[in-house]
């Protein structure tokens, strides 16, 4: 039987994503009613600038008092798309305390305080859904949290930031340098005026924390994620990658240790073979590769940002939360029963591509090889070229720990025959 009393929705934020959420709620109202089993009504929209014209939103719904809106008591669901830590954290907590469930797209807040927010939601018997916080429109959170709930996930590796993928893809396909590719991304609207959060890996690190927590049933905070940006990636790095049959991507990698006793979460540029599915992800698209015991290898691909894609994920959560509300139930909450330790980056084992500037004279290769051997790092391949007393030495290792590689590089810098370390890049996705 169709419920006639509408479910009331409060919208916090009405920018690119929020305005699209409001539009879809209005234009697809009949479909949403049929799917939910009750009408949904936009009961209020909290904004910072009330005088701005918002097409399709009745002026009487607009308010600058977000706190009063979430305290109303008749609100069933609060949709939070304002971002940042405060006032979003306080508003979400207040919404739970006054009887509303919450749909959020706030990756930074969830990565920092997800456990506390889940605890408040559980205390008040309400839902906290956040599909839109990671990878835009790509269904990812719900498959990890529900579809794969009976499986053991071992690794989640992906491209979760469209801006950085656009820049690296442009560098790969055109031979452009980093700044030139960034300028193009900015001109096309893919990069913010201040791109720091994207290019330095902060955005991807927040998403990695969320993914690792869900995948491994362990609390992983933003501070637990190793982060390295991609501003130092050069055209020369891409040339080296092509010689190896690879390309370069900024990857978020969350993985379970071989013995299953710990997990790691990291974000950094890496070379990946052209044969790997992630290598073919172009432009501003996102893709996440999941490896589990029973399901094997899965890849989720699609647009990772933008008003419409992100709003699609928000509306999907809204439908699920409203259905739960009608049924008097709640969906999955936090699952952190495993409580695995998060290992430091020094424990991570992978392959490395190291480019050295060295003196072009006999014995240099032997010296370098000795340093690698002394630190327990096995060499896979070596390529040397040079003239006029200067040379380039490219070393690709077998799998080694980050700590061992760091010690190796420190020792290499002390050799008189090593002029400098041109670049160090991890090699993933084998």
């Amino acid at each position: 039987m169709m419920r006639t009393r509408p479910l009331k929705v409060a919208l916090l934020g009405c920018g690119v994503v929020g305005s699209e959420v409001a539009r879809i709620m209005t234009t697809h109202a009949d479909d949403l009613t049929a799917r939910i089993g009750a009408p949904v009504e936009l009961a209020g929209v909290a904004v910072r600038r009330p005088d701005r014209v918002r097409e399709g939103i009745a002026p009487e719904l607009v308010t600058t008092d977000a706190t009063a809106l979430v305290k109303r008591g008749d609100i069933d669901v609060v949709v939070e798309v304002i971002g940042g830590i405060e006032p979003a954290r306080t508003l979400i907590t207040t919404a739970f305390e006054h009887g509303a469930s919450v749909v959020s797209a706030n990756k930074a807040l969830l990565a920092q305080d997800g456990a506390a927010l889940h605890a408040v939601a559980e205390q008040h018997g309400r839902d906290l859904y956040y599909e839109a916080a990671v990878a835009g429109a790509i269904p990812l959170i719900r498959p990890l949290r529900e579809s794969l709930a009976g499986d053991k996930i071992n690794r989640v590796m992906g491209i979760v930031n469209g801006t950085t993928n656009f820049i690296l893809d442009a560098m790969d396909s055109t031979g452009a340098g980093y700044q030139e590719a960034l300028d193009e991304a900015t001109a096309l609207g893919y990069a913010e005026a201040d791109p720091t959060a994207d290019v330095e890996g902060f955005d991807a690190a927040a998403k990695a924390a969320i993914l690792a927590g869900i995948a491994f049933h362990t609390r992983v905070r933003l501070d637990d994620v190793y982060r390295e940006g991609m501003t130092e990636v050069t055209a020369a790095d891409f040339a080296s990658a092509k010689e190896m049959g690879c390309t370069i991507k900024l990857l978020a990698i969350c993985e379970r240790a071989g013995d299953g006793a710990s997990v790691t979460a990291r974000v950094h540029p890496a070379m990946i073979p052209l044969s790997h599915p992630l290598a073919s992800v172009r432009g501003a698209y996102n893709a996440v590769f999941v490896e589990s015991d029973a399901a094997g290898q899965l890849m989720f691909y699609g647009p990772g940002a933008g008003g419409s894609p992100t709003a699609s994920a928000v509306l999907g959560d809204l439908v699920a939360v409203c259905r739960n509300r009608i049924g008097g139930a709640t969906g999955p909450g936090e699952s952190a029963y495993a409580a695995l330790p998060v290992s430091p980056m020094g424990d991570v084992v992978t392959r490395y591509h190291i480019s050295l500037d060295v003196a072009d004279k006999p014995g240099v290769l032997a010296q370098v090889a000795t340093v690698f051997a002394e630190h327990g790092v096995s060499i896979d391949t070596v390529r040397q070229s040079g003239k006029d007393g200067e040379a380039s030495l490219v070393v690709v290792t077998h799998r080694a720990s980050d700590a061992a590689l760091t010690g190796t590089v420190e020792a290499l810098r002390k050799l008189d025959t090593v002029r400098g370390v041109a670049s160090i890049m991890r090699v993933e996705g084998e």
Side-chain angles (χ1 to χ4, degrees):
M1 179 181 292
M2 180 72 69
R3 167 176 147 164
T4 57
R5 185 180 75 79
L7 291 155
K8 295 190 176 183
V9 178
L11 179 61
L12 307 183
C14 198
V16 173
V17 176
S19 59
E20 190 66 9
V21 169
R23 184 192 69 79
I24 295 174
M25 285 184 63
T26 301
T27 58
H28 294 183
D30 291 343
D31 287 338
L32 291 173
T33 297
R35 294 168 191 172
I36 292 169
V40 286
E41 173 188 309
L42 188 59
V45 182
V47 299
R48 285 185 298 175
R49 295 185 292 274
D51 297 334
R52 182 176 170 186
V53 176
R54 292 171 173 86
E55 187 176 348
I57 298 176
E60 61 268 21
L61 295 180
V62 177
T63 178
T64 58
D65 193 343
T67 301
L69 179 59
V70 300
K71 282 184 173 181
R72 272 177 38 174
D74 65 334
I75 299 297
D76 294 287
V77 184
V78 170
V79 175
E80 183 271 311
V81 288
I82 56 178
I85 306 302
E86 287 291 357
R89 174 172 48 198
T90 299
L91 291 171
I92 290 174
T93 301
T94 303
F96 290 139
E97 293 169 347
H98 286 77
S101 290
V102 173
V103 173
S104 176
N106 195 331
K107 54 189 171 287
L109 177 58
L110 289 160
Q112 178 172 306
D113 291 315
L117 293 177
H118 272 294
V120 179
E122 182 177 1
Q123 177 186 350
H124 294 279
R126 294 295 177 248
D127 277 322
L128 173 60
Y129 275 46
Y130 42 90
E131 185 69 65
V134 181
I138 303 172
L140 185 58
I141 299 298
R142 194 171 289 115
L144 290 177
R145 196 160 66 166
E146 299 178 30
S147 303
L148 296 174
D151 206 344
K152 178 184 178 184
I153 297 173
N154 297 309
R155 198 171 202 233
V156 179
M157 179 173 78
I159 299 162
V160 295
N161 182 278
T163 299
T164 54
N165 199 59
F166 180 90
I167 293 170
L168 292 173
D169 184 41
M171 293 175 69
D172 185 29
S173 59
T174 68
Y178 166 75
Q179 189 60 50
E180 184 181 352
L182 172 60
D183 290 343
E184 180 185 5
T186 304
L188 293 173
Y190 290 120
E192 301 286 346
D194 180 1
T196 303
D198 295 322
V199 300
E200 293 295 352
F202 291 101
D203 176 84
K207 296 170 182 176
I210 295 170
L211 291 175
I214 295 171
F216 307 131
H217 305 279
T218 291
R219 288 180 178 171
V220 179
R221 289 171 51 90
L222 181 58
D223 292 345
D224 296 321
V225 181
Y226 171 83
R227 178 193 55 79
E228 184 180 319
M230 41 77 72
T231 57
E232 301 301 318
V233 177
T234 66
D237 291 326
F238 274 101
S240 294
K242 288 181 178 180
E243 290 179 358
M244 291 179 58
C246 293
T247 188
I248 299 172
K249 299 291 186 182
L250 184 75
L251 298 178
I253 304 173
C254 313
E255 57 190 349
R256 193 186 299 268
D259 61 4
S262 64
V263 299
T264 58
R266 51 197 166 101
V267 169
H268 53 71
M271 294 182 180
I272 57 172
L274 295 176
S275 58
H276 194 282
L278 291 177
S280 61
V281 178
R282 310 301 299 270
Y285 275 69
N286 284 193
V288 177
F289 201 71
V290 178
E291 300 176 32
S292 68
D293 277 0
Q297 297 180 333
L298 307 169
M299 192 169 97
F300 301 84
Y301 169 84
S308 293
T310 306
S312 171
V314 169
L315 266 295
D317 278 350
L318 179 63
V319 169
V321 169
C322 285
R323 286 172 175 168
N324 292 342
R325 191 84 170 186
I326 292 173
T330 55
E334 183 191 31
S335 176
Y337 71 89
L340 297 171
V342 182
S343 297
M345 187 62 186
D347 292 348
V348 170
V349 176
T350 190
R351 296 176 67 205
Y352 290 87
H353 176 283
I354 305 103
S355 180
L356 305 172
D357 295 325
V358 300
D360 187 15
K361 62 182 184 180
V364 173
L365 179 56
Q367 284 185 322
V368 169
T370 297
V371 169
F372 275 88
E374 288 174 347
H375 288 81
V377 179
S378 175
I379 294 175
D380 182 17
T381 62
V382 178
R383 187 176 68 254
Q384 184 173 6
S385 61
K387 60 181 181 179
D388 300 328
E390 298 296 329
S392 175
L393 192 64
V394 175
V395 178
V396 179
T397 74
H398 288 290
R399 292 174 65 82
S401 72
D402 187 84
L405 195 282
T406 298
T408 302
V409 171
E410 289 176 354
L412 288 171
R413 294 184 192 277
K414 296 177 182 178
L415 293 178
D416 292 338
T417 52
V418 174
R419 310 298 193 212
V421 179
S423 69
I424 302 171
M425 184 111 16
R426 295 170 183 87
V427 183
E428 302 284 350
E430 297 174 275

